[in-house]
mmCIF file of all heavy atoms in Angstrom:
data_model
loop_
_atom_site.group_PDB
_atom_site.id
_atom_site.type_symbol
_atom_site.label_atom_id
_atom_site.label_comp_id
_atom_site.label_asym_id
_atom_site.label_seq_id
_atom_site.Cartn_x
_atom_site.Cartn_y
_atom_site.Cartn_z
ATOM 1 N N MET A 29 -36.102 -29.875 -77.165
ATOM 2 C CA MET A 29 -34.839 -29.139 -77.067
ATOM 3 C C MET A 29 -33.875 -29.861 -76.135
ATOM 4 O O MET A 29 -33.611 -29.419 -75.023
ATOM 5 C CB MET A 29 -35.091 -27.725 -76.534
ATOM 6 C CG MET A 29 -36.068 -26.910 -77.372
ATOM 7 S SD MET A 29 -36.187 -25.231 -76.783
ATOM 8 C CE MET A 29 -37.148 -25.512 -75.279
ATOM 9 N N PRO A 30 -33.340 -30.986 -76.545
ATOM 10 C CA PRO A 30 -32.451 -31.787 -75.681
ATOM 11 C C PRO A 30 -31.207 -31.036 -75.250
ATOM 12 O O PRO A 30 -30.694 -31.265 -74.164
ATOM 13 C CB PRO A 30 -32.061 -32.966 -76.586
ATOM 14 C CG PRO A 30 -33.146 -33.019 -77.610
ATOM 15 C CD PRO A 30 -33.553 -31.594 -77.839
ATOM 16 N N TYR A 31 -30.722 -30.136 -76.075
ATOM 17 C CA TYR A 31 -29.478 -29.439 -75.759
ATOM 18 C C TYR A 31 -29.593 -28.558 -74.520
ATOM 19 O O TYR A 31 -28.610 -28.218 -73.892
ATOM 20 C CB TYR A 31 -29.017 -28.601 -76.943
ATOM 21 C CG TYR A 31 -29.869 -27.381 -77.190
ATOM 22 C CD1 TYR A 31 -29.530 -26.159 -76.609
ATOM 23 C CD2 TYR A 31 -31.004 -27.452 -77.994
ATOM 24 C CE1 TYR A 31 -30.313 -25.048 -76.827
ATOM 25 C CE2 TYR A 31 -31.788 -26.350 -78.213
ATOM 26 C CZ TYR A 31 -31.444 -25.138 -77.628
ATOM 27 O OH TYR A 31 -32.226 -24.040 -77.823
ATOM 28 N N VAL A 32 -30.821 -28.195 -74.184
ATOM 29 C CA VAL A 32 -31.047 -27.317 -73.033
ATOM 30 C C VAL A 32 -30.519 -27.943 -71.753
ATOM 31 O O VAL A 32 -30.042 -27.263 -70.865
ATOM 32 C CB VAL A 32 -32.550 -27.024 -72.875
ATOM 33 C CG1 VAL A 32 -32.814 -26.293 -71.558
ATOM 34 C CG2 VAL A 32 -33.030 -26.172 -74.048
ATOM 35 N N HIS A 33 -30.568 -29.250 -71.698
ATOM 36 C CA HIS A 33 -30.137 -29.929 -70.485
ATOM 37 C C HIS A 33 -28.650 -29.758 -70.205
ATOM 38 O O HIS A 33 -28.180 -29.949 -69.104
ATOM 39 C CB HIS A 33 -30.483 -31.415 -70.577
ATOM 40 C CG HIS A 33 -31.953 -31.668 -70.622
ATOM 41 N ND1 HIS A 33 -32.787 -31.383 -69.576
ATOM 42 C CD2 HIS A 33 -32.750 -32.148 -71.608
ATOM 43 C CE1 HIS A 33 -34.032 -31.694 -69.918
ATOM 44 N NE2 HIS A 33 -34.034 -32.145 -71.147
ATOM 45 N N LYS A 34 -27.933 -29.385 -71.250
ATOM 46 C CA LYS A 34 -26.501 -29.163 -71.047
ATOM 47 C C LYS A 34 -26.244 -27.779 -70.461
ATOM 48 O O LYS A 34 -25.238 -27.553 -69.815
ATOM 49 C CB LYS A 34 -25.769 -29.301 -72.384
ATOM 50 C CG LYS A 34 -25.846 -30.707 -72.960
ATOM 51 C CD LYS A 34 -25.089 -30.776 -74.271
ATOM 52 C CE LYS A 34 -25.178 -32.194 -74.868
ATOM 53 N NZ LYS A 34 -24.472 -32.268 -76.166
ATOM 54 N N LEU A 35 -27.166 -26.872 -70.735
ATOM 55 C CA LEU A 35 -26.954 -25.490 -70.321
ATOM 56 C C LEU A 35 -27.664 -25.162 -69.013
ATOM 57 O O LEU A 35 -27.282 -24.253 -68.308
ATOM 58 C CB LEU A 35 -27.469 -24.539 -71.399
ATOM 59 C CG LEU A 35 -26.791 -24.676 -72.764
ATOM 60 C CD1 LEU A 35 -27.467 -23.754 -73.766
ATOM 61 C CD2 LEU A 35 -25.322 -24.338 -72.666
ATOM 62 N N TYR A 36 -28.684 -25.934 -68.711
ATOM 63 C CA TYR A 36 -29.489 -25.605 -67.546
ATOM 64 C C TYR A 36 -29.589 -26.783 -66.595
ATOM 65 O O TYR A 36 -29.585 -27.942 -67.002
ATOM 66 C CB TYR A 36 -30.906 -25.200 -67.965
ATOM 67 C CG TYR A 36 -30.935 -23.956 -68.809
ATOM 68 C CD1 TYR A 36 -30.978 -24.045 -70.188
ATOM 69 C CD2 TYR A 36 -30.905 -22.697 -68.215
ATOM 70 C CE1 TYR A 36 -30.991 -22.907 -70.979
ATOM 71 C CE2 TYR A 36 -30.918 -21.558 -68.989
ATOM 72 C CZ TYR A 36 -30.962 -21.664 -70.375
ATOM 73 O OH TYR A 36 -30.966 -20.547 -71.134
ATOM 74 N N GLU A 37 -29.714 -26.447 -65.355
ATOM 75 C CA GLU A 37 -29.918 -27.476 -64.343
ATOM 76 C C GLU A 37 -31.235 -27.171 -63.643
ATOM 77 O O GLU A 37 -31.391 -26.135 -63.010
ATOM 78 C CB GLU A 37 -28.774 -27.458 -63.341
ATOM 79 C CG GLU A 37 -28.918 -28.511 -62.257
ATOM 80 C CD GLU A 37 -27.726 -28.505 -61.329
ATOM 81 O OE1 GLU A 37 -26.721 -27.869 -61.647
ATOM 82 O OE2 GLU A 37 -27.824 -29.142 -60.277
ATOM 83 N N VAL A 38 -32.195 -28.067 -63.772
ATOM 84 C CA VAL A 38 -33.522 -27.803 -63.237
ATOM 85 C C VAL A 38 -33.612 -28.193 -61.764
ATOM 86 O O VAL A 38 -33.234 -29.296 -61.375
ATOM 87 C CB VAL A 38 -34.586 -28.594 -64.027
ATOM 88 C CG1 VAL A 38 -35.977 -28.332 -63.446
ATOM 89 C CG2 VAL A 38 -34.535 -28.211 -65.506
ATOM 90 N N ASP A 39 -34.111 -27.265 -60.992
ATOM 91 C CA ASP A 39 -34.363 -27.550 -59.587
ATOM 92 C C ASP A 39 -35.852 -27.843 -59.435
ATOM 93 O O ASP A 39 -36.688 -26.954 -59.462
ATOM 94 C CB ASP A 39 -33.974 -26.331 -58.751
ATOM 95 C CG ASP A 39 -34.074 -26.616 -57.262
ATOM 96 O OD1 ASP A 39 -34.782 -27.579 -56.879
ATOM 97 O OD2 ASP A 39 -33.453 -25.885 -56.487
ATOM 98 N N TYR A 40 -36.185 -29.093 -59.337
ATOM 99 C CA TYR A 40 -37.591 -29.485 -59.324
ATOM 100 C C TYR A 40 -38.325 -29.074 -58.050
ATOM 101 O O TYR A 40 -39.536 -28.966 -58.035
ATOM 102 C CB TYR A 40 -37.710 -31.006 -59.520
ATOM 103 C CG TYR A 40 -37.297 -31.437 -60.901
ATOM 104 C CD1 TYR A 40 -36.035 -31.964 -61.135
ATOM 105 C CD2 TYR A 40 -38.163 -31.288 -61.978
ATOM 106 C CE1 TYR A 40 -35.637 -32.340 -62.402
ATOM 107 C CE2 TYR A 40 -37.778 -31.658 -63.260
ATOM 108 C CZ TYR A 40 -36.510 -32.184 -63.460
ATOM 109 O OH TYR A 40 -36.124 -32.544 -64.721
ATOM 110 N N LYS A 41 -37.581 -28.863 -56.993
ATOM 111 C CA LYS A 41 -38.224 -28.461 -55.740
ATOM 112 C C LYS A 41 -38.816 -27.060 -55.825
ATOM 113 O O LYS A 41 -39.923 -26.804 -55.376
ATOM 114 C CB LYS A 41 -37.208 -28.525 -54.598
ATOM 115 C CG LYS A 41 -36.811 -29.951 -54.265
ATOM 116 C CD LYS A 41 -35.848 -29.966 -53.083
ATOM 117 C CE LYS A 41 -35.449 -31.405 -52.742
ATOM 118 N NZ LYS A 41 -34.507 -31.443 -51.605
ATOM 119 N N SER A 42 -38.052 -26.140 -56.417
ATOM 120 C CA SER A 42 -38.513 -24.752 -56.503
ATOM 121 C C SER A 42 -39.055 -24.413 -57.879
ATOM 122 O O SER A 42 -39.668 -23.383 -58.071
ATOM 123 C CB SER A 42 -37.370 -23.799 -56.153
ATOM 124 O OG SER A 42 -36.339 -23.898 -57.124
ATOM 125 N N GLY A 43 -38.810 -25.308 -58.850
ATOM 126 C CA GLY A 43 -39.273 -25.044 -60.192
ATOM 127 C C GLY A 43 -38.358 -24.117 -60.964
ATOM 128 O O GLY A 43 -38.650 -23.718 -62.073
ATOM 129 N N ALA A 44 -37.242 -23.788 -60.362
ATOM 130 C CA ALA A 44 -36.306 -22.883 -61.009
ATOM 131 C C ALA A 44 -35.329 -23.641 -61.889
ATOM 132 O O ALA A 44 -35.028 -24.794 -61.648
ATOM 133 C CB ALA A 44 -35.530 -22.107 -59.964
ATOM 134 N N ILE A 45 -34.864 -22.962 -62.903
ATOM 135 C CA ILE A 45 -33.860 -23.551 -63.772
ATOM 136 C C ILE A 45 -32.561 -22.774 -63.594
ATOM 137 O O ILE A 45 -32.498 -21.580 -63.818
ATOM 138 C CB ILE A 45 -34.307 -23.486 -65.240
ATOM 139 C CG1 ILE A 45 -35.626 -24.236 -65.406
ATOM 140 C CG2 ILE A 45 -33.229 -24.092 -66.150
ATOM 141 C CD1 ILE A 45 -36.222 -24.102 -66.795
ATOM 142 N N LYS A 46 -31.540 -23.475 -63.168
ATOM 143 C CA LYS A 46 -30.275 -22.808 -62.908
ATOM 144 C C LYS A 46 -29.348 -22.923 -64.114
ATOM 145 O O LYS A 46 -29.076 -24.010 -64.588
ATOM 146 C CB LYS A 46 -29.602 -23.451 -61.688
ATOM 147 C CG LYS A 46 -30.441 -23.332 -60.434
ATOM 148 C CD LYS A 46 -29.747 -24.043 -59.286
ATOM 149 C CE LYS A 46 -30.591 -23.968 -58.023
ATOM 150 N NZ LYS A 46 -29.942 -24.695 -56.908
ATOM 151 N N ARG A 47 -28.906 -21.780 -64.570
ATOM 152 C CA ARG A 47 -27.940 -21.779 -65.656
ATOM 153 C C ARG A 47 -26.557 -21.697 -65.036
ATOM 154 O O ARG A 47 -26.234 -20.750 -64.344
ATOM 155 C CB ARG A 47 -28.193 -20.590 -66.583
ATOM 156 C CG ARG A 47 -27.359 -20.678 -67.853
ATOM 157 C CD ARG A 47 -27.721 -19.570 -68.811
ATOM 158 N NE ARG A 47 -26.952 -19.697 -70.041
ATOM 159 C CZ ARG A 47 -27.043 -18.854 -71.057
ATOM 160 N NH1 ARG A 47 -27.870 -17.833 -70.979
ATOM 161 N NH2 ARG A 47 -26.327 -19.019 -72.129
ATOM 162 N N LYS A 48 -25.758 -22.690 -65.285
ATOM 163 C CA LYS A 48 -24.503 -22.862 -64.562
ATOM 164 C C LYS A 48 -23.491 -21.733 -64.751
ATOM 165 O O LYS A 48 -22.714 -21.447 -63.867
ATOM 166 C CB LYS A 48 -23.874 -24.196 -64.987
ATOM 167 C CG LYS A 48 -24.745 -25.381 -64.618
ATOM 168 C CD LYS A 48 -24.096 -26.663 -65.069
ATOM 169 C CE LYS A 48 -24.979 -27.868 -64.719
ATOM 170 N NZ LYS A 48 -24.371 -29.128 -65.176
ATOM 171 N N ASN A 49 -23.524 -21.124 -65.924
ATOM 172 C CA ASN A 49 -22.487 -20.123 -66.181
ATOM 173 C C ASN A 49 -22.979 -18.691 -66.005
ATOM 174 O O ASN A 49 -22.373 -17.753 -66.485
ATOM 175 C CB ASN A 49 -21.908 -20.313 -67.587
ATOM 176 C CG ASN A 49 -22.960 -20.134 -68.660
ATOM 177 O OD1 ASN A 49 -24.140 -20.021 -68.368
ATOM 178 N ND2 ASN A 49 -22.543 -20.084 -69.905
ATOM 179 N N LYS A 50 -24.117 -18.542 -65.312
ATOM 180 C CA LYS A 50 -24.629 -17.203 -65.084
ATOM 181 C C LYS A 50 -24.388 -16.815 -63.638
ATOM 182 O O LYS A 50 -24.836 -17.488 -62.725
ATOM 183 C CB LYS A 50 -26.143 -17.167 -65.374
ATOM 184 C CG LYS A 50 -26.755 -15.792 -65.248
ATOM 185 C CD LYS A 50 -26.296 -14.870 -66.365
ATOM 186 C CE LYS A 50 -27.036 -13.548 -66.304
ATOM 187 N NZ LYS A 50 -26.590 -12.625 -67.389
ATOM 188 N N THR A 51 -23.660 -15.728 -63.454
ATOM 189 C CA THR A 51 -23.385 -15.282 -62.095
ATOM 190 C C THR A 51 -23.884 -13.861 -61.885
ATOM 191 O O THR A 51 -23.997 -13.072 -62.821
ATOM 192 C CB THR A 51 -21.879 -15.335 -61.786
ATOM 193 O OG1 THR A 51 -21.185 -14.577 -62.761
ATOM 194 C CG2 THR A 51 -21.377 -16.765 -61.800
ATOM 195 N N CYS A 52 -24.147 -13.534 -60.669
ATOM 196 C CA CYS A 52 -24.656 -12.217 -60.316
ATOM 197 C C CYS A 52 -23.555 -11.156 -60.436
ATOM 198 O O CYS A 52 -22.472 -11.335 -59.902
ATOM 199 C CB CYS A 52 -25.193 -12.265 -58.886
ATOM 200 S SG CYS A 52 -25.792 -10.670 -58.311
ATOM 201 N N PRO A 53 -23.844 -10.063 -61.140
ATOM 202 C CA PRO A 53 -22.856 -8.991 -61.295
ATOM 203 C C PRO A 53 -22.629 -8.195 -60.019
ATOM 204 O O PRO A 53 -21.661 -7.449 -59.904
ATOM 205 C CB PRO A 53 -23.476 -8.114 -62.395
ATOM 206 C CG PRO A 53 -24.936 -8.342 -62.272
ATOM 207 C CD PRO A 53 -25.088 -9.789 -61.853
ATOM 208 N N LYS A 54 -23.516 -8.349 -59.066
ATOM 209 C CA LYS A 54 -23.399 -7.590 -57.830
ATOM 210 C C LYS A 54 -22.632 -8.331 -56.751
ATOM 211 O O LYS A 54 -21.796 -7.758 -56.061
ATOM 212 C CB LYS A 54 -24.796 -7.219 -57.301
ATOM 213 C CG LYS A 54 -25.515 -6.233 -58.212
ATOM 214 C CD LYS A 54 -26.845 -5.828 -57.638
ATOM 215 C CE LYS A 54 -26.686 -4.989 -56.387
ATOM 216 N NZ LYS A 54 -27.986 -4.522 -55.871
ATOM 217 N N CYS A 55 -22.931 -9.619 -56.593
ATOM 218 C CA CYS A 55 -22.304 -10.361 -55.507
ATOM 219 C C CYS A 55 -21.523 -11.588 -55.984
ATOM 220 O O CYS A 55 -20.819 -12.215 -55.211
ATOM 221 C CB CYS A 55 -23.343 -10.756 -54.461
ATOM 222 S SG CYS A 55 -24.453 -12.068 -54.998
ATOM 223 N N GLY A 56 -21.654 -11.925 -57.298
ATOM 224 C CA GLY A 56 -20.867 -13.019 -57.840
ATOM 225 C C GLY A 56 -21.452 -14.403 -57.588
ATOM 226 O O GLY A 56 -20.873 -15.402 -57.986
ATOM 227 N N SER A 57 -22.626 -14.457 -56.959
ATOM 228 C CA SER A 57 -23.256 -15.734 -56.687
ATOM 229 C C SER A 57 -23.951 -16.254 -57.937
ATOM 230 O O SER A 57 -24.315 -15.484 -58.820
ATOM 231 C CB SER A 57 -24.261 -15.558 -55.557
ATOM 232 O OG SER A 57 -24.889 -16.782 -55.263
ATOM 233 N N PHE A 58 -24.143 -17.557 -58.028
ATOM 234 C CA PHE A 58 -24.870 -18.108 -59.162
ATOM 235 C C PHE A 58 -26.331 -17.690 -59.107
ATOM 236 O O PHE A 58 -26.928 -17.601 -58.032
ATOM 237 C CB PHE A 58 -24.776 -19.636 -59.168
ATOM 238 C CG PHE A 58 -23.414 -20.115 -59.584
ATOM 239 C CD1 PHE A 58 -22.543 -20.652 -58.651
ATOM 240 C CD2 PHE A 58 -23.008 -20.013 -60.911
ATOM 241 C CE1 PHE A 58 -21.280 -21.091 -59.024
ATOM 242 C CE2 PHE A 58 -21.750 -20.448 -61.300
ATOM 243 C CZ PHE A 58 -20.884 -20.982 -60.357
ATOM 244 N N MET A 59 -26.897 -17.461 -60.294
ATOM 245 C CA MET A 59 -28.270 -16.986 -60.362
ATOM 246 C C MET A 59 -29.195 -18.087 -60.865
ATOM 247 O O MET A 59 -28.803 -18.933 -61.664
ATOM 248 C CB MET A 59 -28.347 -15.787 -61.308
ATOM 249 C CG MET A 59 -27.467 -14.633 -60.833
ATOM 250 S SD MET A 59 -27.495 -13.245 -61.968
ATOM 251 C CE MET A 59 -29.083 -12.526 -61.559
ATOM 252 N N ALA A 60 -30.434 -18.057 -60.403
ATOM 253 C CA ALA A 60 -31.441 -19.022 -60.832
ATOM 254 C C ALA A 60 -32.252 -18.433 -61.974
ATOM 255 O O ALA A 60 -32.608 -17.255 -61.956
ATOM 256 C CB ALA A 60 -32.360 -19.375 -59.666
ATOM 257 N N PHE A 61 -32.560 -19.252 -62.965
ATOM 258 C CA PHE A 61 -33.343 -18.784 -64.098
ATOM 259 C C PHE A 61 -34.800 -19.196 -63.924
ATOM 260 O O PHE A 61 -35.110 -20.358 -63.691
ATOM 261 C CB PHE A 61 -32.788 -19.385 -65.391
ATOM 262 C CG PHE A 61 -33.484 -18.879 -66.618
ATOM 263 C CD1 PHE A 61 -33.240 -17.599 -67.072
ATOM 264 C CD2 PHE A 61 -34.384 -19.672 -67.304
ATOM 265 C CE1 PHE A 61 -33.879 -17.116 -68.218
ATOM 266 C CE2 PHE A 61 -35.027 -19.207 -68.440
ATOM 267 C CZ PHE A 61 -34.774 -17.919 -68.898
ATOM 268 N N HIS A 62 -35.677 -18.212 -64.028
ATOM 269 C CA HIS A 62 -37.109 -18.472 -63.918
ATOM 270 C C HIS A 62 -37.777 -18.099 -65.227
ATOM 271 O O HIS A 62 -37.496 -17.048 -65.787
ATOM 272 C CB HIS A 62 -37.725 -17.630 -62.791
ATOM 273 C CG HIS A 62 -37.104 -17.887 -61.455
ATOM 274 N ND1 HIS A 62 -37.521 -18.901 -60.614
ATOM 275 C CD2 HIS A 62 -36.083 -17.279 -60.818
ATOM 276 C CE1 HIS A 62 -36.787 -18.881 -59.518
ATOM 277 N NE2 HIS A 62 -35.893 -17.908 -59.615
ATOM 278 N N GLN A 63 -38.674 -18.936 -65.706
ATOM 279 C CA GLN A 63 -39.361 -18.656 -66.970
ATOM 280 C C GLN A 63 -40.705 -17.975 -66.759
ATOM 281 O O GLN A 63 -41.237 -17.348 -67.673
ATOM 282 C CB GLN A 63 -39.574 -19.943 -67.748
ATOM 283 C CG GLN A 63 -38.272 -20.500 -68.316
ATOM 284 C CD GLN A 63 -38.527 -21.649 -69.251
ATOM 285 O OE1 GLN A 63 -39.298 -22.546 -68.962
ATOM 286 N NE2 GLN A 63 -37.881 -21.634 -70.409
ATOM 287 N N LYS A 64 -41.267 -18.116 -65.567
ATOM 288 C CA LYS A 64 -42.563 -17.518 -65.309
ATOM 289 C C LYS A 64 -42.513 -16.630 -64.084
ATOM 290 O O LYS A 64 -41.816 -16.973 -63.128
ATOM 291 C CB LYS A 64 -43.620 -18.616 -65.120
ATOM 292 C CG LYS A 64 -43.833 -19.431 -66.371
ATOM 293 C CD LYS A 64 -44.886 -20.491 -66.127
ATOM 294 C CE LYS A 64 -45.097 -21.309 -67.404
ATOM 295 N NZ LYS A 64 -46.120 -22.356 -67.216
ATOM 296 N N PRO A 65 -43.253 -15.513 -64.075
ATOM 297 C CA PRO A 65 -44.146 -15.049 -65.151
ATOM 298 C C PRO A 65 -43.402 -14.497 -66.354
ATOM 299 O O PRO A 65 -43.952 -14.455 -67.445
ATOM 300 C CB PRO A 65 -44.972 -13.949 -64.470
ATOM 301 C CG PRO A 65 -44.067 -13.416 -63.412
ATOM 302 C CD PRO A 65 -43.316 -14.628 -62.889
ATOM 303 N N VAL A 66 -42.166 -14.087 -66.162
ATOM 304 C CA VAL A 66 -41.353 -13.636 -67.291
ATOM 305 C C VAL A 66 -39.962 -14.237 -67.178
ATOM 306 O O VAL A 66 -39.496 -14.533 -66.069
ATOM 307 C CB VAL A 66 -41.239 -12.093 -67.335
ATOM 308 C CG1 VAL A 66 -42.596 -11.461 -67.610
ATOM 309 C CG2 VAL A 66 -40.657 -11.558 -66.032
ATOM 310 N N ALA A 67 -39.306 -14.433 -68.298
ATOM 311 C CA ALA A 67 -37.966 -15.016 -68.299
ATOM 312 C C ALA A 67 -36.974 -14.057 -67.665
ATOM 313 O O ALA A 67 -36.841 -12.912 -68.079
ATOM 314 C CB ALA A 67 -37.549 -15.353 -69.727
ATOM 315 N N ARG A 68 -36.305 -14.557 -66.642
ATOM 316 C CA ARG A 68 -35.376 -13.682 -65.933
ATOM 317 C C ARG A 68 -34.414 -14.514 -65.086
ATOM 318 O O ARG A 68 -34.709 -15.650 -64.715
ATOM 319 C CB ARG A 68 -36.151 -12.733 -65.025
ATOM 320 C CG ARG A 68 -36.819 -13.440 -63.858
ATOM 321 C CD ARG A 68 -37.930 -12.621 -63.263
ATOM 322 N NE ARG A 68 -38.470 -13.242 -62.060
ATOM 323 C CZ ARG A 68 -39.245 -14.315 -62.027
ATOM 324 N NH1 ARG A 68 -39.557 -14.928 -63.139
ATOM 325 N NH2 ARG A 68 -39.691 -14.807 -60.899
ATOM 326 N N TRP A 69 -33.293 -13.903 -64.765
ATOM 327 C CA TRP A 69 -32.392 -14.518 -63.801
ATOM 328 C C TRP A 69 -32.576 -13.821 -62.475
ATOM 329 O O TRP A 69 -32.730 -12.600 -62.407
ATOM 330 C CB TRP A 69 -30.936 -14.375 -64.262
ATOM 331 C CG TRP A 69 -30.540 -15.351 -65.313
ATOM 332 C CD1 TRP A 69 -30.124 -16.638 -65.130
ATOM 333 C CD2 TRP A 69 -30.516 -15.132 -66.730
ATOM 334 N NE1 TRP A 69 -29.842 -17.218 -66.356
ATOM 335 C CE2 TRP A 69 -30.076 -16.319 -67.342
ATOM 336 C CE3 TRP A 69 -30.824 -14.032 -67.551
ATOM 337 C CZ2 TRP A 69 -29.930 -16.457 -68.721
ATOM 338 C CZ3 TRP A 69 -30.682 -14.161 -68.917
ATOM 339 C CH2 TRP A 69 -30.241 -15.359 -69.497
ATOM 340 N N HIS A 70 -32.553 -14.584 -61.422
ATOM 341 C CA HIS A 70 -32.732 -14.010 -60.097
ATOM 342 C C HIS A 70 -31.648 -14.506 -59.155
ATOM 343 O O HIS A 70 -31.383 -15.699 -59.064
ATOM 344 C CB HIS A 70 -34.110 -14.401 -59.540
ATOM 345 C CG HIS A 70 -34.314 -13.954 -58.130
ATOM 346 N ND1 HIS A 70 -34.198 -14.814 -57.056
ATOM 347 C CD2 HIS A 70 -34.614 -12.735 -57.618
ATOM 348 C CE1 HIS A 70 -34.422 -14.131 -55.938
ATOM 349 N NE2 HIS A 70 -34.675 -12.882 -56.246
ATOM 350 N N CYS A 71 -31.028 -13.565 -58.476
ATOM 351 C CA CYS A 71 -30.015 -13.926 -57.495
ATOM 352 C C CYS A 71 -30.678 -14.135 -56.140
ATOM 353 O O CYS A 71 -31.277 -13.213 -55.587
ATOM 354 C CB CYS A 71 -28.958 -12.825 -57.409
ATOM 355 S SG CYS A 71 -27.717 -13.162 -56.142
ATOM 356 N N GLY A 72 -30.572 -15.341 -55.633
ATOM 357 C CA GLY A 72 -31.198 -15.644 -54.351
ATOM 358 C C GLY A 72 -30.426 -15.088 -53.171
ATOM 359 O O GLY A 72 -30.898 -15.082 -52.041
ATOM 360 N N ARG A 73 -29.219 -14.630 -53.433
ATOM 361 C CA ARG A 73 -28.369 -14.131 -52.352
ATOM 362 C C ARG A 73 -28.628 -12.656 -52.051
ATOM 363 O O ARG A 73 -28.794 -12.265 -50.907
ATOM 364 C CB ARG A 73 -26.905 -14.351 -52.732
ATOM 365 C CG ARG A 73 -25.948 -13.994 -51.620
ATOM 366 C CD ARG A 73 -24.531 -14.321 -52.043
ATOM 367 N NE ARG A 73 -23.564 -13.970 -50.994
ATOM 368 C CZ ARG A 73 -22.260 -14.129 -51.102
ATOM 369 N NH1 ARG A 73 -21.752 -14.655 -52.195
ATOM 370 N NH2 ARG A 73 -21.463 -13.785 -50.120
ATOM 371 N N CYS A 74 -28.648 -11.831 -53.124
ATOM 372 C CA CYS A 74 -28.823 -10.398 -52.899
ATOM 373 C C CYS A 74 -30.121 -9.862 -53.506
ATOM 374 O O CYS A 74 -30.477 -8.712 -53.287
ATOM 375 C CB CYS A 74 -27.627 -9.628 -53.451
ATOM 376 S SG CYS A 74 -27.567 -9.528 -55.246
ATOM 377 N N GLY A 75 -30.818 -10.712 -54.271
ATOM 378 C CA GLY A 75 -32.097 -10.284 -54.809
ATOM 379 C C GLY A 75 -32.016 -9.576 -56.153
ATOM 380 O O GLY A 75 -33.018 -9.101 -56.674
ATOM 381 N N TYR A 76 -30.841 -9.545 -56.750
ATOM 382 C CA TYR A 76 -30.677 -8.906 -58.044
ATOM 383 C C TYR A 76 -31.450 -9.674 -59.117
ATOM 384 O O TYR A 76 -31.449 -10.899 -59.138
ATOM 385 C CB TYR A 76 -29.196 -8.849 -58.402
ATOM 386 C CG TYR A 76 -28.922 -8.286 -59.781
ATOM 387 C CD1 TYR A 76 -28.907 -6.912 -59.992
ATOM 388 C CD2 TYR A 76 -28.687 -9.140 -60.862
ATOM 389 C CE1 TYR A 76 -28.657 -6.396 -61.251
ATOM 390 C CE2 TYR A 76 -28.433 -8.631 -62.124
ATOM 391 C CZ TYR A 76 -28.419 -7.258 -62.317
ATOM 392 O OH TYR A 76 -28.181 -6.750 -63.570
ATOM 393 N N VAL A 77 -32.133 -8.936 -59.997
ATOM 394 C CA VAL A 77 -32.894 -9.561 -61.075
ATOM 395 C C VAL A 77 -32.423 -9.024 -62.416
ATOM 396 O O VAL A 77 -32.285 -7.815 -62.601
ATOM 397 C CB VAL A 77 -34.405 -9.284 -60.931
ATOM 398 C CG1 VAL A 77 -35.172 -9.875 -62.119
ATOM 399 C CG2 VAL A 77 -34.926 -9.866 -59.627
ATOM 400 N N GLU A 78 -32.176 -9.934 -63.344
ATOM 401 C CA GLU A 78 -31.796 -9.527 -64.696
ATOM 402 C C GLU A 78 -32.755 -10.192 -65.671
ATOM 403 O O GLU A 78 -32.844 -11.425 -65.729
ATOM 404 C CB GLU A 78 -30.357 -9.945 -65.000
ATOM 405 C CG GLU A 78 -29.914 -9.549 -66.401
ATOM 406 C CD GLU A 78 -28.447 -9.857 -66.632
ATOM 407 O OE1 GLU A 78 -27.640 -9.588 -65.727
ATOM 408 O OE2 GLU A 78 -28.119 -10.375 -67.696
ATOM 409 N N TYR A 79 -33.470 -9.382 -66.438
ATOM 410 C CA TYR A 79 -34.446 -9.937 -67.364
ATOM 411 C C TYR A 79 -33.765 -10.453 -68.621
ATOM 412 O O TYR A 79 -32.864 -9.815 -69.159
ATOM 413 C CB TYR A 79 -35.491 -8.883 -67.712
ATOM 414 C CG TYR A 79 -36.367 -8.544 -66.537
ATOM 415 C CD1 TYR A 79 -36.087 -7.450 -65.727
ATOM 416 C CD2 TYR A 79 -37.465 -9.347 -66.232
ATOM 417 C CE1 TYR A 79 -36.871 -7.153 -64.627
ATOM 418 C CE2 TYR A 79 -38.257 -9.060 -65.142
ATOM 419 C CZ TYR A 79 -37.957 -7.958 -64.337
ATOM 420 O OH TYR A 79 -38.733 -7.670 -63.257
ATOM 421 N N ALA A 80 -34.202 -11.609 -69.071
ATOM 422 C CA ALA A 80 -33.616 -12.220 -70.259
ATOM 423 C C ALA A 80 -34.079 -11.492 -71.507
ATOM 424 O O ALA A 80 -35.217 -11.041 -71.582
ATOM 425 C CB ALA A 80 -34.029 -13.687 -70.328
ATOM 426 N N PRO A 81 -33.199 -11.341 -72.486
ATOM 427 C CA PRO A 81 -33.592 -10.712 -73.749
ATOM 428 C C PRO A 81 -34.620 -11.548 -74.480
ATOM 429 O O PRO A 81 -34.582 -12.776 -74.407
ATOM 430 C CB PRO A 81 -32.271 -10.638 -74.516
ATOM 431 C CG PRO A 81 -31.434 -11.740 -73.949
ATOM 432 C CD PRO A 81 -31.820 -11.787 -72.485
ATOM 433 N N LYS A 82 -35.530 -10.891 -75.161
ATOM 434 C CA LYS A 82 -36.621 -11.538 -75.892
ATOM 435 C C LYS A 82 -37.696 -12.027 -74.965
ATOM 436 O O LYS A 82 -37.436 -12.759 -74.044
ATOM 437 C CB LYS A 82 -36.103 -12.696 -76.719
ATOM 438 C CG LYS A 82 -37.185 -13.339 -77.578
ATOM 439 C CD LYS A 82 -36.603 -14.495 -78.355
ATOM 440 C CE LYS A 82 -37.662 -15.163 -79.215
ATOM 441 N NZ LYS A 82 -37.139 -16.303 -79.951
HETATM 442 ZN ZN1 ZN B 108 -26.382 -11.286 -56.089
#
């Protein structure tokens, strides 16, 4: 899936994948995307979690 690299930025230190255009609805900070244990976005600033569809 080469196209994924355009949408996501992988942080190899934490293992998180950051989606550039995803922001937190609570504080407006960028959210990190985690695939495990379940696909979800997590805001490192306020702790908000949004589970990905599917
Ligand atoms: Zn937040």
Side-chain angles (χ1 to χ4, degrees):
M29 303 186 286
Y31 71 92
V32 171
H33 295 295
K34 295 181 181 179
L35 299 176
Y36 297 96
E37 180 177 348
V38 179
D39 186 340
Y40 292 100
K41 291 183 180 180
S42 65
I45 301 174
K46 299 177 182 178
R47 189 175 182 181
K48 297 179 181 179
N49 62 352
K50 184 70 174 180
T51 55
C52 178
K54 293 183 68 176
C55 72
S57 180
F58 287 107
M59 300 178 77
F61 184 74
H62 301 274
Q63 289 189 314
K64 296 180 180 180
V66 294
R68 68 200 186 286
W69 281 277
H70 175 258
C71 177
R73 186 176 179 181
C74 73
Y76 176 81
V77 176
E78 180 175 317
Y79 292 96
K82 184 181 180 181

